[in-house]
Amino acid sequence: GPGTYTQLNSTTTISGSGTLSTDNVFVSGGTLVGSGTYSAATGTAISGGSIQLNTGGSTGNLTMTGGDLSGSGGNTLTINGDIDLDPTTTSAGINYSPTGALDLAQTAGHSFKIEGSQSVYFEVGSITTPNPVAISNPGFSPSTNTALTSTGGAITFTQAGTYGGSGLTLSG
């Protein structure tokens, strides 16, 4: 239902039969573990701590200024809004800590930006989008067995420089 769920510290688990359905989810510390239904209609924001979605789920916008988003392999988080990976004071990670293999799938008509000044770790899994992707953060650091696919637009590195990481498959 409407409202905001805020995770500040410790660990909260959504059981296999449980549901977290709200407008917004904000995680600034601790860990939110989803083994049940996860739905954040307006958006998910992570500034610290982690969200581990073991059954996937859906969200509106996805904003990460820190922390980690991960989950079990074979599961997908569907993003029905903008993706903004924008760490400015601490690193952000996808399937980084804890490691996982959650896939991300963005729907059409939204922006996708990887920006900021701190590292963005992308360890395992895939991100697919029908939208253009703009990467301006040289701290974008993908690892082996990762794929970033834009089926409807280009993947553009908007800042000259050397980008780290290894093993990323780009398709756009």
Side-chain angles (χ1 to χ4, degrees):
T4 297
Y5 174 84
T6 301
Q7 177 79 33
L8 300 175
N9 54 38
S10 68
T11 298
T12 301
T13 301
I14 306 165
S15 69
S17 61
T19 297
L20 175 58
S21 179
T22 187
D23 287 337
N24 297 286
V25 172
F26 176 70
V27 176
S28 63
T31 302
L32 174 61
V33 178
S35 296
T37 302
Y38 178 86
S39 175
T42 303
T44 298
I46 306 169
S47 65
S50 65
I51 297 179
Q52 184 177 353
L53 298 176
N54 294 321
T55 54
S58 65
T59 188
N61 297 327
L62 173 64
T63 304
M64 293 181 69
T65 57
D68 188 66
L69 173 64
S70 66
S72 300
N75 293 292
T76 301
L77 176 64
T78 301
I79 300 143
N80 300 305
D82 298 337
I83 296 175
D84 190 7
L85 308 179
D86 187 13
T88 54
T89 58
T90 186
S91 64
I94 297 172
N95 293 316
Y96 182 64
S97 179
T99 58
L102 180 70
D103 292 325
L104 306 181
Q106 184 184 37
T107 58
H110 306 288
S111 67
F112 188 144
K113 298 180 284 187
I114 300 173
E115 53 190 350
S117 57
Q118 300 296 314
S119 296
V120 175
Y121 299 104
F122 177 27
E123 289 299 305
V124 179
S126 67
I127 303 173
T128 57
T129 180
N131 305 301
V133 178
I135 302 172
S136 62
N137 182 344
F140 178 53
S141 184
S143 187
T144 306
N145 300 320
T146 57
L148 175 57
T149 303
S150 175
T151 59
I155 298 172
T156 306
F157 290 84
T158 61
Q159 181 174 321
T162 302
Y163 289 76
S166 64
L168 174 68
T169 301
L170 292 174
S171 303

